[in-house]
Amino acid sequence: MAANPSVLITGASSGIGATYADRFAKRGHDLVLVARDKARMEALAARLRDETGAAVDILQADLTKPEELAVVETRLRDDRRIGVLVNNAGATAPGTFTEQAADDVGRIVTLNATAVARLASAVAPRLAQAGAGAIVNISSVVGLAPEFGMAVYGATKAFVLFLSQGLSQELGPRGVYVQAVLPAATRTEIWERAGIDVDTLPAVMEVGELVDAALAGFDRREPVTIPPLHDAGQWDAFHAARQAMIPGFAQARAAERYRTPA
Ligand code: NAP
C-alpha cells in the first residue's frame, strides 16, 4: 500500500466528513468523497484540488439504498489505492422513539449501523491482506448515555463503538488500525436536520477542533478517541470495570439472586 493512501470518506458533503476531507487533503492524501449532495461535494473537491493538489473523486450515493451502497462497497473492495475508510455518514430523526415513524427508525439503523458495518466489511479483508490501513468509525458519546433520550440514534452509536472495538481486536494484530471517534455536540447541520436549534445546547464544539482532536487520536493509534472527555482516566476506569466482569461470565449456574423467590 502507498505511504500516503487514498482516503474514502462517507458523509463528506458537510460537517465532520467535509472537515476530514479538508484535513486529509492537506496531509497529502487523495480522496474519494461519498454522500448524496453531488453539488456540494463538487464544490469541496474543486477547492481541495486547487488548494492542495489532491486528486479528489466523487461517488454520489444514498447509503440507505442497497444498490447505491453496493457501488461504494465495490469501490472499497477493488480500488487498491484506498487505504483509509472514514465511516462518518450518519443522521438522526426528530422526536422521541414513540414519536418517530417506523420508517425513520429503520432509516437511522440502515445508515448509522448497517452501512457502517457493510463498508467496513468491504474493505477489511483487503487491508488485512495488505497488513496496513485504517478504518475510522464516527460513533458518539450518545452511545454511552441512554439518559440523553435518543434511543435509536444512541443504539446505533453504541453499535459503532462495539463494532470498532471488535474489529480492533481482530484486525489490529494484522496491521490494520481501527478507531472509534466519539464526539459530543459539535456545530454541524445534523442538529438542524433533526429539528434542534444547536444554540440551545449547553456546550458545542466547533467542527475543526473536533476533527483535529480526532486526528490527534488517530496519529497516536488510539482505539477510542473521545475529544470532549477531559478526564481520560474516566474512560480507563469504565473500560477496566467492564473488563473486570468478563472472567465472571463463565458460569454453569445462575447467580444466587435469581435462584431465590422474589
Ligand atoms: P452533517 O453535517 O449533517 O453530516 C452528515 C453527512 O452524512 C452529510 O455529508 C450527509 O450528506 C451525509 N448523509 C446523510 N444521510 C446520508 C445518506 N442517506 N447517504 C449518504 N450520506 C448521507 O452532520 P455531522 O455532525 O457532520 O455528522 C457526521 C457524523 O458525526 C454522523 O455519523 C453523526 O452521527 C456523528 N456525530 C455528530 C455529532 C454532532 O454533534 N454534530 C455528535 C456525535 C456524532 P448528504 O446530505 O449530502 O447525503
Side-chain angles (χ1 to χ4, degrees), residues 12-31:
S13 63
S14 66
I16 294 171
T19 307
Y20 264 109
D22 177 88
R23 300 305 195 262
F24 272 118
K26 287 175 177 159
R27 286 175 170 219
H29 295 265
D30 292 338
L31 304 174

Side-chain angles (χ1 to χ4, degrees), residues 11 13-14 16 36-37 62-63 88 153 157 186 188 191 193:
S13 63
S14 66
I16 294 171
R36 295 168 302 180
D37 190 329
D62 182 336
L63 298 174
N88 161 78
Y153 176 79
K157 294 302 178 179
T186 306
T188 70
W191 295 98
R193 292 182 204 244

Side-chain angles (χ1 to χ4, degrees), residues 146-172:
E147 293 80 0
F148 286 173
M150 301 173 79
V152 177
Y153 176 79
T156 63
K157 294 302 178 179
F159 173 94
V160 171
L161 172 61
F162 191 107
L163 180 74
S164 306
Q165 292 173 305
L167 293 184
S168 190
Q169 293 282 323
E170 180 176 338
L171 299 175

Side-chain angles (χ1 to χ4, degrees), residues 44 48 234 252:
L44 175 63
L48 294 179
Q234 289 183 324

